[in-house]
Amino acid sequence: ACYLPNGMTPILSVRPALPQERPRAVFMGSQHLPNVQAAKFIVEELAPRLPHVSFDIIGECLPAGRYAANVVRHGCVSNREKSQLLQNAAIALNPMGSGSGSNIKVFEYFSFGLPVLSTSFGMRGVLAVAGQHYVQAARNDFSDKLLQLLASPEQCKALGQAGLDLADENYTWAAVVQSLLGRLDEWFAGKQLQVTKHVLVLNDYDSYGSIGGGATRTQGLYDAVRKWRSVVFLAFSSDGQCSISQ
């Protein structure tokens, strides 16, 4: 078996300094229950304790409602708007307490050079070292850790750069595919194989007809693989019909 991590698209090589009188903390997530619970924790626990910090909540993880003045519920945004919000943030939050798989939001945080404050559970599946690539805290320590980080711009800068370097080295789609190619070369060394002209991808749903973490990962892998081989997707249909699209 070959383990391949989730990946990300690199955005920055060095994160520019952001002088801010009012720091902004960002969290993003879908309507998946663990994300909703994390967003609820931020607006109900962190925001009231830290009125001088603005909290940007991106995605459908935060239901419509009345929240503290320092909470901004953005809902679904365009990629351009999301990029701007992440670039404007001083720190990224990841107070996840449940869920499955790895948090792909962490890779996006890393890709923007953001220092990350996370629970240990929130970093599952990510080969990052607490204190070096991110700061780890239990939820009941989150507000104190957040204050400490915001009071230390140099630590934030070092964490952001370390996370960015880690992601660039191990978690870009090109790095993920390169790792797979290396394993394939090991497996098939010395064997007589017929060279194929396509890569066949089998999936249980149409990755280009849906929105979600799985679709994002599949599309990212496709973008990397198609640079060296044609790709054919074969997926179940939702209407029982057979169709072809390009």
Side-chain angles (χ1 to χ4, degrees), residues 144-168:
D144 290 339
K145 288 289 186 180
L146 180 53
L147 282 175
Q148 292 173 17
L149 276 172
L150 293 175
S152 180
E154 288 303 314
Q155 184 184 11
C156 284
K157 181 179 179 181
L159 286 167
Q161 191 62 50
L164 182 59
D165 292 343
L166 176 74
D168 280 346

Side-chain angles (χ1 to χ4, degrees), residues 33-173:
L33 181 58
N35 290 324
V36 174
Q37 293 170 338
K40 184 178 179 181
F41 164 76
I42 291 171
V43 302
E44 292 184 358
E45 301 292 335
L46 294 185
R49 296 180 188 176
L50 306 172
H52 64 290
V53 179
S54 294
F55 294 87
D56 290 305
I57 312 298
I58 305 171
E60 297 182 329
C61 54
L62 185 62
R66 298 183 64 180
Y67 300 104
N70 59 333
V71 173
V72 182
R73 176 184 176 270
H74 294 276
C76 291
V77 298
S78 66
N79 285 333
R80 182 177 180 180
E81 291 171 320
K82 181 176 71 173
S83 294
Q84 191 62 56
L85 288 167
L86 291 173
Q87 289 182 41
N88 290 340
I91 192 167
L93 305 177
N94 192 38
M96 303 300 292
S98 62
S100 60
S102 57
N103 274 171
I104 59 173
K105 63 172 67 66
V106 171
F107 300 122
E108 283 206 76
Y109 293 157
F110 280 166
S111 73
F112 280 87
L114 278 166
V116 176
L117 175 59
S118 177
T119 57
S120 60
F121 184 83
M123 299 300 290
R124 66 198 183 281
V126 183
L127 299 179
V129 179
Q132 178 180 346
H133 303 109
Y134 73 102
V135 170
Q136 182 176 302
R139 282 187 176 180
N140 56 1
D141 294 326
F142 240 67
S143 59
D144 290 339
K145 288 289 186 180
L146 180 53
L147 282 175
Q148 292 173 17
L149 276 172
L150 293 175
S152 180
E154 288 303 314
Q155 184 184 11
C156 284
K157 181 179 179 181
L159 286 167
Q161 191 62 50
L164 182 59
D165 292 343
L166 176 74
D168 280 346
E169 182 177 347
N170 299 286
Y171 293 109
T172 64
W173 291 114

Side-chain angles (χ1 to χ4, degrees), residues 202-225:
L202 305 177
N203 204 28
D204 58 353
Y205 63 92
D206 181 4
S207 297
Y208 287 86
S210 60
I211 299 175
T216 299
R217 292 190 289 274
T218 307
Q219 292 173 29
L221 285 169
Y222 165 73
D223 287 337
V225 173

Side-chain angles (χ1 to χ4, degrees), residues 2-25:
C2 178
Y3 164 77
L4 293 176
N6 290 319
M8 62 92 184
T9 301
I11 304 296
L12 304 173
S13 56
V14 177
R15 181 173 174 81
L18 291 175
Q20 293 179 330
E21 294 183 2
R22 185 181 183 87
R24 311 194 71 89

Side-chain angles (χ1 to χ4, degrees), residues 162-243:
L164 182 59
D165 292 343
L166 176 74
D168 280 346
E169 182 177 347
N170 299 286
Y171 293 109
T172 64
W173 291 114
V176 172
V177 171
Q178 193 60 43
S179 173
L180 173 61
L181 293 179
R183 293 299 299 275
L184 290 177
D185 286 341
E186 293 176 8
W187 289 340
F188 297 125
K191 296 180 180 179
Q192 296 296 322
L193 298 174
Q194 182 179 359
V195 177
T196 57
K197 296 182 179 180
H198 298 86
V199 172
L200 177 63
V201 178
L202 305 177
N203 204 28
D204 58 353
Y205 63 92
D206 181 4
S207 297
Y208 287 86
S210 60
I211 299 175
T216 299
R217 292 190 289 274
T218 307
Q219 292 173 29
L221 285 169
Y222 165 73
D223 287 337
V225 173
R226 71 187 179 93
K227 295 177 181 178
W228 57 273
R229 186 76 71 196
S230 297
V231 180
V232 175
F233 278 95
L234 179 61
F236 290 124
S237 65
S238 57
D239 57 4
Q241 302 296 315
C242 181
S243 61

